Amino acid sequence: MSKEDAKKRTAILKRLREEHKDTVAGAQALLKEQKAIRRQICQAMRDAPKTVPEVAETTGLPANQVLWHITAMKKYDLAVETGMCGEYYLYQLVEEEKK
Amino acid sequence: MTSNNLHVDALVVGGGIAGMQAALDLADQGYRVALVEKEASIGGKMIALSKVFPTLDCCSCITTPKMSAVAHHKNIQLLTYCKVQSINKNGSGFKADVVKKPRYVDETLCTGCRQCEYACPIDLPAAFDLNLGAHRAVRVPFSTAVPQYAVLDIQNCILCGKCETICPVDAIDFTQSPQEFEIEAETIVLASGYELTPTDAKKEYGGGQLPNVVNALVMERLLAPTGPYGHVLRPGDGKEPESIAYVQCAGSRDQSLGVEYCSRVCCMYAIKQAMLLSGALPLADITIYYMDIRTFGKGYEQFYQNAQAMGIEFVKGKVARITEDEDHNPIVRVELIDEGSPVVERTHDLVVLSVGMLPGYNPQTIFGVPVADDGFVTLPSPNISPCVTGQPGIFVTGTAAGPMDIVDSIVLAGSAASEAAAYLQAHRQPELVGDLRVTANEKKERVHA
């Protein structure tokens, strides 16, 4: 990208941020919240594969919320299934699996 | 879509299975068709389903080739992410004002590689997976979407520009704005589809409140190979359910909801899902609580009997309420009519509400097509002309006309295409009928008699 194109792009994004400042603020707040939750979930799964109820118990988050985040992490290749424990699947962080 | 004025023979509104079939049937006869779909991909609700009854064919395997055929047909102009704003009579035809929502992605450049999606930092509830899973603010709508272009949800975007930076073909275009254009067509086919009765419509069933009480479309996604979890798991905590119950007539045949009609598909889809669950979870107990089982179509009764033979339990009785225990296991309170009518409470891992069908769209304001008390399009002669509306030149197909299954939607789509083709012919040339020369207008009136 040329310098001029980069300048144009920055100006467009700046104008759009101004135009959509309410929705951008809402999305930023959601992203911040998501990152905090993900940190907790990743921390809980760091040492060994865990089931959803185990992660929920460790983090204190509702089990359905944990499942939603782990589902999202699985979709975008950040977590994988590694078998079952009773009636629950075990999930592992991808970076842990690579070690 | 770049042209501001599009001239076609027929405008098909709605890109679900009925709209696609009607468009293909017209296009195969040589008519030029514009297919307008409000979502970013065609496919409608069918593309999200797991399998179809009674053959248990894979839905995606049936629908995807049709979607592709629509996209590649030389006589079909596919217009996704577009909405008809208004319709005006234009001589003997119609002029539709259509608005195309901005994708913020250049369709001529996007290859659907999804690199933007992977770069996007924000996860949002995925509507295609009924919020069970996530998608990003910029994404390809689903894996088999047609057209396979990304779409950016500006309302949930932080405008960080990561997608723009990573896109290998510079397809992200933040300068896009809504585009208005006109379509001139001689006839219109409405295929605007259906919505489900809201899961929380019957408060006593706890839908929307109890995490392990879901509707049947959610179960379709759980059963689909492309589903959010990759397995049938209950949404409350990811447990593989060992006991699953269906509650029939949970959104239809119910005066208290104002939905007095039978939705026609609930019995069959519940039986189908129960059979699929038996395959996916061989050890699970599956119960269907019902008032009547209505298996009206070809091969449907045999399908029901096969389900009984497979060990699926059918319990006659209308469920009164659903609560849950401390582990979020739903508790169903029901009268067992075939066992002397004791009222019992049974605990399951997961309960599926067989919700009914509501009209997806009211065409009265924009298309001038009257709707009946139930909200579906009024059919002046439903028995002999099931696609003809009260508005000359506008035909209806699929579940816009009333509740029906996929088979009937496709049959009706063919019928709507035939009616529309006859209307087009009647418009274009006078013809001899017996000893009388019938003018185009007279024939048009006859079609709508």
Side-chain angles (χ1 to χ4, degrees):
Chain A
M1 192 184 289
S2 70
K3 263 189 177 178
E4 200 165 313
D5 286 346
K7 261 188 183 176
K8 266 188 201 167
R9 172 185 176 272
T10 310
I12 289 167
L13 279 174
K14 194 177 171 188
R15 178 178 56 78
L16 274 173
R17 278 193 205 106
E18 188 54 38
E19 272 175 28
H20 296 273
K21 61 182 175 191
D22 290 344
T23 55
V24 168
Q28 280 174 334
L30 178 66
L31 180 59
K32 200 173 169 186
E33 187 191 337
Q34 267 180 11
K35 280 190 169 173
I37 292 170
R38 286 288 166 85
R39 236 187 335 265
Q40 290 183 68
I41 292 173
C42 290
Q43 190 62 41
M45 292 166 69
R46 185 123 290 155
D47 299 330
K50 293 271 191 329
T51 64
V52 169
E54 285 170 346
V55 175
E57 197 180 334
T58 310
T59 57
L61 294 164
N64 57 352
Q65 196 176 28
V66 170
L67 177 61
W68 188 85
H69 280 278
I70 290 179
T71 302
M73 291 163 73
K74 236 181 79 183
K75 180 173 180 179
Y76 292 109
D77 303 335
L78 303 169
V80 286
E81 269 170 28
T82 57
M84 286 190 85
C85 177
E87 301 143 330
Y88 294 93
Y89 280 89
L90 287 159
Y91 300 96
Q92 186 176 34
L93 296 177
V94 164
E95 58 192 68
E96 295 301 309
E97 189 196 37
K98 282 179 185 165
K99 278 181 187 172
Chain B
M1 173 63 217
T2 50
S3 168
N4 283 334
N5 285 305
L6 190 61
H7 298 266
V8 289
D9 298 313
L11 166 64
V12 177
V13 181
I17 189 65
M20 289 194 295
Q21 187 64 53
L24 284 169
D25 286 350
L26 279 163
D28 285 346
Q29 293 175 64
Y31 295 110
R32 291 162 303 141
V33 180
L35 175 59
V36 173
E37 166 57 46
K38 66 179 190 305
E39 300 295 338
S41 168
I42 51 172
K45 293 213 172 39
M46 185 176 171
I47 191 63
L49 305 181
S50 53
K51 296 189 178 187
V52 290
F53 58 77
T55 54
L56 297 185
D57 289 325
C58 159
C59 253
S60 188
C61 308
I62 300 173
T63 319
T64 312
K66 226 173 252 300
M67 292 159 70
S68 186
V70 166
H72 294 108
H73 203 295
K74 66 178 169 57
N75 287 338
I76 299 177
Q77 180 89 44
L78 179 57
L79 303 158
T80 53
Y81 225 36
C82 290
K83 203 174 169 192
V84 177
Q85 298 278 77
S86 63
I87 290 282
N88 293 300
K89 279 272 186 191
N90 182 23
S92 59
F94 302 92
K95 193 184 79 179
D97 293 319
V98 180
V99 65
K100 182 176 174 60
K101 292 185 274 180
R103 278 179 181 263
Y104 299 102
V105 168
D106 187 334
E107 294 174 18
T108 61
L109 298 174
C110 182
T111 60
C113 70
R114 298 180 68 198
Q115 288 192 45
C116 54
E117 188 174 345
Y118 275 79
C120 179
I122 191 161
D123 283 323
L124 303 165
F128 186 72
D129 280 329
L130 303 160
N131 303 338
L132 298 178
H135 61 200
R136 296 276 164 82
V138 59
R139 72 267 176 175
V140 173
F142 49 92
S143 57
T144 53
V146 172
Q148 189 78 193
Y149 303 139
V151 59
L152 190 148
D153 172 6
I154 200 84
Q155 297 301 318
N156 286 293
C157 177
I158 58 168
L159 294 167
C160 64
K162 280 185 183 170
C163 51
E164 193 184 21
T165 309
I166 203 156
C167 179
V169 291
D170 293 330
I172 303 291
D173 179 5
F174 284 111
T175 63
Q176 284 187 0
S177 55
Q179 277 183 300
E180 290 183 10
F181 60 96
E182 291 172 2
I183 300 175
E184 285 181 37
E186 289 177 54
T187 182
I188 295 173
V189 178
L190 285 175
S192 48
Y194 69 95
E195 290 299 331
L196 295 176
T197 316
T199 310
D200 61 354
K202 284 189 82 68
K203 301 293 176 207
E204 57 270 42
Y205 289 172
Q209 294 292 318
L210 310 180
N212 296 316
V213 175
V214 300
N215 72 29
L217 210 50
V218 167
M219 182 53 85
E220 289 287 343
R221 292 307 301 148
L222 295 180
L223 284 163
T226 56
Y229 306 144
H231 310 279
V232 179
L233 306 178
R234 64 180 198 175
D237 59 0
K239 182 183 178 185
E240 197 173 68
E242 292 175 343
S243 169
I244 302 161
Y246 281 80
V247 176
Q248 296 306 105
C249 301
S252 48
R253 301 178 69 197
D254 193 326
Q255 277 190 331
S256 69
L257 297 180
V259 185
E260 296 175 23
Y261 51 86
C262 170
S263 289
R264 296 182 67 194
V265 293
C266 316
C267 288
M268 288 302 293
Y269 73 55
I271 294 169
K272 173 199 75 177
Q273 291 185 2
M275 289 172 90
L276 295 175
L277 282 166
S278 293
L281 306 168
L283 300 179
D285 297 319
I286 301 157
T287 309
I288 296 180
Y289 297 103
Y290 71 99
M291 294 199 290
D292 308 301
I293 293 291
R294 296 182 168 183
T295 53
F296 59 91
K298 184 182 179 185
Y300 289 10
E301 180 64 19
Q302 184 62 46
F303 193 71
Y304 168 42
Q305 287 173 16
N306 290 350
Q308 286 177 306
M310 283 173 76
I312 292 155
E313 188 189 8
F314 287 81
V315 175
K316 190 172 175 66
K318 178 76 175 158
V319 170
R321 71 163 180 260
I322 303 171
T323 51
E324 65 175 10
D325 65 16
E326 64 279 6
D327 295 322
H328 298 295
N329 297 311
I331 303 166
V332 172
R333 185 178 173 83
V334 61
E335 180 186 5
L336 306 180
I337 291 170
D338 285 342
E339 295 176 29
S341 293
V343 176
V344 299
E345 289 194 337
R346 287 174 156 196
T347 304
H348 301 277
D349 289 333
L350 182 62
V351 168
V352 184
L353 301 179
S354 290
V355 289
M357 282 182 172
L358 301 177
Y361 176 70
N362 185 342
Q364 176 86 59
T365 320
I366 289 176
F367 293 90
V369 171
V371 295
D373 289 344
D374 57 14
F376 293 101
V377 169
T378 299
L379 303 169
S381 303
N383 295 333
I384 56 169
S385 304
C387 304
V388 176
T389 72
Q391 188 67 255
I394 302 184
F395 303 91
V396 65
T397 184
T399 47
M404 68 187 70
D405 61 14
I406 291 165
V407 180
D408 286 352
S409 288
I410 288 175
V411 171
L412 203 64
S415 171
S418 297
E419 294 276 15
Y423 180 86
L424 286 167
Q425 285 301 310
H427 254 67
R428 287 172 183 179
Q429 58 193 26
E431 63 175 321
L432 285 170
V433 177
D435 292 326
L436 296 171
R437 181 169 283 276
V438 180
T439 65
N441 279 340
E442 283 168 341
K443 179 147 187 201
K444 183 176 73 180
E445 282 160 17
R446 221 180 52 224
V447 168
H448 286 278

